Amino acid sequence: MIDEISLNILNILQEKARIPNVEVARQVGMAPSAVLERIRKLEKQGIIDGYEVRLNPEQFNRRLIAFIFVDVDTTLVSASDPDQDRVHDILAKMPEIQEVHDVAGEDCLLLKVRVADHQELGTLLRDNIRPLQGVRSTRTLTVLFTHKETTRFPISGILTGQ
Amino acid sequence: MIDEISLNILNILQEKARIPNVEVARQVGMAPSAVLERIRKLEKQGIIDGYEVRLNPEQFNRRLIAFIFVDVDTTLVSASDPDQDRVHDILAKMPEIQEVHDVAGEDCLLLKVRVADHQELGTLLRDNIRPLQGVRSTRTLTVLFTHKETTRFPISGILTGQ
DNA sequence: ACTGAAACGCAGATACT
DNA sequence: AGTATCTGCGTTTCAGT
């Protein structure tokens, strides 16, 4: 279980992760050493997975988001050399591909990619995705406008595995 | 434009954002004050958008990811009170919904949601999404397994708007 | 735009409650 | 699991280059 204080600390860090420990302590009204101990514990328990810098995709010429459904022939893949990487592993290694999911009911993978423009998307599909062994077909949805995009989710005290 | 040193700093912060400034300075071989100045500048330029803590969804009972296509009747919405929030604004305010995109070619919205289980997904669809004015239908894909999920993207010196 | 010095504030350890 | 205290170290400002 996780208590109100730790929840509070996590909420503060979700707003702005790169702030001094004392500042967190002030906001929760505790001694810095106590807060530090709690944060260390949350990290060790795997509740806190890490700290990331959020970069502006626009500024790095990554304006286009696309979702790609990849129809994979799994029988073909399992029949080949078992030592070789599976399609999803190869895809996961490509830096433009941010997400690789197995989805239910469609017998395929769903990718989220972030590229500069439609030309780069075309290149990625033609040169890196379609030629993969086991890939039967792809279907691509490009994003026109993004209204919301966050990794945050509501946090509450109901913790599992505690 | 952005130079090699700033690129280096950003890469270090992408690995672990909550590290001391001196540590970054050591890794890039510069004085802490110089690194601080660069980071402040990157923040002010909007290249660095913020710093986030990465929380483990498993530990907060958010095991299920779903992608939901929401077919929206835009004519109906524009005919109603123009002051009222649009469907995508209402959806964007729901904390379980992490992403709201307009997608090309389907005349609909694509949502990414993160919930506890299929029951919670059902509740979200039935009580919060389908009743919205203008929502014609929804189609949901649930994720069976996630092979990769990151917000990182390759960064290079080719900056725009500089 | 970077270095180095100095003042200040924080981190992390310890002892104790 | 908390506070109080202390030392060493990091942060931040500023003058100089």
Side-chain angles (χ1 to χ4, degrees):
Chain A
M1 273 308 280
I2 193 166
D3 61 10
E4 278 301 316
I5 299 168
S6 288
L7 225 54
N8 214 324
I9 292 171
L10 292 174
N11 275 317
I12 291 164
L13 291 177
Q14 267 196 335
E15 290 299 332
K16 204 173 183 309
R18 207 175 143 79
I19 60 169
N21 193 36
V22 261
E23 182 56 33
V24 182
R26 267 194 288 266
Q27 290 188 38
V28 298
M30 289 201 324
S33 50
V35 172
L36 186 70
E37 201 182 328
R38 274 173 179 270
I39 292 178
R40 292 273 177 276
K41 204 174 285 178
L42 290 167
E43 288 167 353
K44 219 170 58 187
Q45 286 175 310
I47 292 168
I48 290 176
D49 250 7
Y51 305 92
E52 274 179 353
V53 63
R54 187 159 20 89
L55 300 178
N56 188 341
E58 300 259 329
Q59 302 253 24
F60 291 92
N61 203 21
R62 290 283 131 110
R63 275 178 214 78
L64 183 62
I65 296 172
F67 291 91
I68 308 175
F69 292 92
V70 182
D71 193 356
V72 180
D73 185 345
T74 46
T75 58
L76 184 76
V77 174
S78 58
S80 67
D81 183 357
D83 280 344
Q84 86 171 61
D85 278 343
R86 306 231 227 106
V87 173
H88 60 248
D89 287 328
I90 301 169
L91 292 169
K93 281 174 190 147
M94 299 180 191
E96 307 93 333
I97 300 179
Q98 294 191 317
E99 303 186 19
V100 180
H101 306 279
D102 275 323
V103 292
E106 300 242 349
D107 207 36
C108 68
L109 297 169
L110 174 57
L111 314 179
K112 181 184 178 184
V113 306
R114 198 181 274 278
V115 290
D117 48 34
H118 281 81
Q119 193 193 316
E120 206 179 298
L121 178 62
T123 309
L124 181 70
L125 280 165
R126 193 184 337 101
D127 299 347
N128 298 110
I129 299 178
R130 287 208 195 105
L132 291 180
Q133 188 183 43
V135 170
R136 248 196 308 245
S137 65
T138 64
R139 191 163 51 91
T140 302
L141 296 176
T142 57
V143 170
L144 297 172
F145 187 80
T146 297
H147 300 282
K148 181 181 186 178
E149 191 180 19
T150 181
T151 58
R152 287 180 65 164
F153 48 81
I155 60 178
S156 70
I158 306 118
L159 271 193
T160 56
Q162 283 301 307
Chain B
M1 272 308 279
I2 192 166
D3 62 8
E4 279 300 318
I5 299 167
S6 289
L7 225 53
N8 214 324
I9 292 171
L10 292 175
N11 275 316
I12 291 164
L13 290 178
Q14 267 197 337
E15 290 298 332
K16 205 174 181 310
R18 206 176 145 79
I19 61 169
N21 196 33
V22 261
E23 182 56 33
V24 181
R26 268 194 287 266
Q27 290 189 37
V28 298
M30 289 200 326
S33 51
V35 173
L36 184 71
E37 202 181 331
R38 275 174 179 268
I39 292 178
R40 292 266 179 278
K41 204 173 287 178
L42 290 168
E43 287 167 355
K44 219 169 57 189
Q45 287 176 309
I47 292 168
I48 290 177
D49 249 7
Y51 305 92
E52 275 179 352
V53 63
R54 187 158 22 86
L55 300 179
N56 189 341
E58 299 259 331
Q59 302 254 24
F60 291 92
N61 204 21
R62 292 284 132 118
R63 275 180 213 78
L64 183 62
I65 295 171
F67 291 91
I68 307 175
F69 292 92
V70 182
D71 193 355
V72 180
D73 185 345
T74 46
T75 58
L76 183 75
V77 173
S78 58
S80 66
D81 183 357
D83 280 343
Q84 86 171 62
D85 277 343
R86 305 230 228 106
V87 172
H88 61 248
D89 287 327
I90 301 169
L91 292 169
K93 281 174 191 148
M94 300 182 190
E96 308 92 332
I97 300 179
Q98 295 191 316
E99 302 186 20
V100 181
H101 306 279
D102 274 323
V103 293
E106 301 240 350
D107 204 38
C108 67
L109 297 169
L110 175 57
L111 315 180
K112 181 184 179 185
V113 307
R114 199 181 272 280
V115 289
D117 48 33
H118 280 80
Q119 193 193 316
E120 206 179 297
L121 178 61
T123 310
L124 181 70
L125 280 165
R126 193 183 339 103
D127 299 346
N128 299 111
I129 299 177
R130 287 208 196 106
L132 290 179
Q133 188 182 44
V135 170
R136 249 197 305 247
S137 65
T138 65
R139 194 162 50 90
T140 303
L141 295 176
T142 58
V143 170
L144 297 172
F145 187 81
T146 296
H147 300 282
K148 181 182 187 179
E149 191 180 20
T150 183
T151 58
R152 287 179 64 164
F153 48 80
I155 61 179
S156 72
I158 306 116
L159 271 194
T160 56
Q162 283 302 309

